[in-house]
Amino acid sequence: MKPRVGQMLASTVDSTTVVVVRVPDDDLEITCAGAAMTDPGGPRTGTPDPGLMSGTQLGKRYADEATGVELLCTKAGQGTLAVNGTPLALKGPKPLPASD
């Protein structure tokens, strides 16, 4: 799949929904709990991988610096987000500039 910025993706195995914030111009496999994510209106069929159930948090960004992917979670769920089989890390807040 070739995701695009602004595209909404939904998990086929749980309630996770994300918006693509940053993405390279490559074909990527974006998964949740080991199952491919689809458009929000797609079918909810699939079986989750029990080893990929660490969950997602509402309003948090998940990123992979190696591929340049960043996703924003708009609906939390139990599955782990991954790109090309690599789990995405929770992106920390940007530090504010010092006001000395």
Side-chain angles (χ1 to χ4, degrees):
M1 168 170 74
K2 197 167 198 169
R4 63 189 184 284
V5 173
Q7 181 179 11
M8 289 189 71
L9 297 172
S11 171
T12 58
V13 295
D14 72 355
S15 60
T16 303
T17 305
V18 298
V19 173
V20 178
V21 176
R22 239 181 5 147
V23 68
D25 194 27
D26 296 331
D27 283 333
L28 300 171
E29 181 185 20
I30 299 175
T31 61
C32 181
M37 296 187 81
T38 63
D39 291 323
R44 298 274 182 202
T45 58
T47 55
D49 181 348
L52 295 173
M53 297 298 284
S54 63
T56 55
Q57 299 176 23
L58 176 66
K60 300 294 182 180
R61 292 174 185 252
Y62 293 84
D64 179 37
E65 297 304 321
T67 58
V69 172
E70 185 174 329
L71 305 174
L72 172 65
C73 180
T74 58
K75 190 171 182 186
Q78 297 300 314
T80 300
L81 296 172
V83 173
N84 295 337
T86 304
L88 297 178
L90 181 64
K91 189 172 180 183
K94 291 183 183 177
L96 295 174
S99 59
D100 295 335

